[in-house]
Amino acid sequence: MKLKFEEAISVPESERRSVADSIDFHTIEVEPQYTGARIEGDVVTLDFVKKMMEDFKNQKYLHKRYAFQIVLQTRELLQALPSLVDINVPNGSRFTVCGDVHGQFYDLLNIFELNGLPSEENPYLFNGDFVDRGSFSLEVILTLFAFKCMSPSAIYLARGNHESKSMNKIYGFEGEVRSKLSETFVELFAEVFCCLPLAHVINEKVFVVHGGLFSVDGVKLSDIRAIDRFCEPPEEGLMCELLWSDPQPSLGRGPSKRGVGLSFGADI
């Protein structure tokens, strides 16, 4: 009821000013006593990302000037992408797809320990649900975004059903961002999550999506490319099903246990 009331009195999406456009991180001063990772100029380097990850590992925070810089640069990169991104992996090269990280920063470090850091020679696709549930969602998302800024082709990011305002309110990300950074960052992340692509196709063969398939037959890749994704996920339709649907053991289609999207069998 509280959320519905807030929604009723809020400004409609179309009239809202982008919070990203109102931020100039260059004007934010870094106090002399700050000892954490620093970005020199506008370029996010591997040294910076390594230092930031080491700080996060020791549960230190990143200065909000650099956090703003990373998130705003990532937003620019993501905005330019289509809703369905094609990835080309040359013969003999490796490519790693990772499922939900859900705020487990130490698990993310473990993945990098076992499989190497993201780079052009060792690219990754993180397939949504970076945040919520775990206690280190902010550290996870800043690390993934920093790698994206460092080398856009080293890491691909897809939207999950948890990259949305309603989920972040309930499952912890919003509260975590508010306590570690500020209210402005809550709004900024919500904006940037709306820029994340919805699906990827690897070498014209492998379709990678956070949720699953559709309630209707005959959906083409061109239909997914045509989705205007720059919004909160709707409660039905292709974008909703891409984020929410699940496979089921039986054939055909069935209702989703989640109450959104659907369950689909091997024949679908």
Side-chain angles (χ1 to χ4, degrees):
M1 281 171 71
K2 178 173 173 282
L3 295 182
K4 284 212 161 73
F5 176 69
E6 284 174 4
E7 209 171 285
I9 61 170
S10 68
V11 182
E13 288 286 337
S14 55
E15 293 167 32
R16 242 176 251 167
R17 273 194 62 218
S18 158
V19 69
D21 295 338
S22 65
I23 299 161
D24 180 5
F25 65 84
H26 297 98
T27 62
I28 300 170
E29 270 187 56
V30 180
E31 303 76 14
Q33 63 270 32
Y34 174 72
T35 58
R38 292 170 182 263
I39 301 171
E40 304 301 335
D42 285 338
V43 180
V44 175
T45 62
L46 180 59
D47 285 343
F48 163 78
V49 183
K50 282 179 174 171
K51 165 81 170 122
M52 180 183 76
M53 286 164 66
E54 192 56 36
D55 287 348
F56 286 162
K57 190 176 167 183
N58 298 314
Q59 296 189 29
K60 293 178 181 166
Y61 291 161
L62 179 69
H63 195 282
K64 67 170 183 271
R65 175 198 161 110
Y66 305 121
F68 272 131
Q69 188 169 345
I70 288 166
V71 179
L72 290 168
Q73 279 186 18
T74 304
R75 175 177 174 263
E76 253 177 74
L77 291 166
L78 296 175
Q79 268 180 326
L81 296 172
S83 290
L84 183 146
V85 175
D86 286 289
I87 299 172
N88 179 46
V89 182
N91 270 348
S93 301
R94 46 188 273 150
F95 189 87
T96 304
V97 181
C98 291
D100 310 12
V101 184
H102 271 311
Q104 303 289 356
F105 180 66
Y106 296 91
D107 288 2
L108 181 65
L109 290 182
N110 196 36
I111 289 168
F112 291 154
E113 186 77 24
L114 295 170
N115 198 61
L117 292 175
S119 66
E120 284 180 19
E121 297 70 48
N122 189 34
Y124 283 81
L125 162 55
F126 281 87
N127 195 29
D129 283 13
F130 319 122
V131 300
D132 285 335
R133 298 208 167 106
S135 306
F136 303 99
S137 293
L138 182 64
E139 288 78 358
V140 166
I141 198 73
L142 287 176
T143 300
L144 296 177
F145 279 7
F147 275 116
K148 186 73 185 164
C149 294
M150 179 196 90
S151 175
S153 57
I155 193 165
Y156 296 86
L157 303 168
R159 193 172 192 174
N161 58 312
H162 277 265
E163 278 68 54
S164 71
K165 271 187 198 168
S166 56
M167 298 299 273
N168 297 162
K169 256 185 180 24
I170 300 164
Y171 288 95
F173 183 57
E174 188 181 296
E176 185 187 330
V177 171
R178 199 176 277 122
S179 73
K180 289 178 182 174
L181 286 168
S182 70
E183 187 63 46
T184 308
F185 273 99
V186 171
E187 289 176 51
L188 182 59
F189 277 114
E191 259 180 40
V192 178
F193 287 166
C194 291
C195 302
L196 286 161
L198 303 174
H200 292 76
V201 173
I202 303 172
N203 286 1
E204 300 184 348
K205 283 200 174 89
V206 185
F207 178 62
V208 188
V209 64
H210 180 77
L213 299 177
F214 309 100
S215 52
V216 292
D217 290 335
V219 177
K220 299 184 174 70
L221 295 180
S222 55
D223 298 326
I224 299 171
R225 282 195 186 92
I227 295 172
D228 180 5
R229 70 181 189 279
F230 298 98
C231 60
E232 288 301 313
E235 287 183 23
E236 56 187 21
L238 297 188
M239 178 169 168
C240 169
E241 290 164 0
L242 283 165
L243 299 179
W244 281 95
S245 293
D246 285 306
Q248 65 179 23
S250 53
L251 299 180
R253 293 182 172 92
S256 168
K257 292 194 280 280
R258 302 169 184 274
V260 193
L262 68 141
S263 294
F264 57 94
D267 55 330
I268 303 296

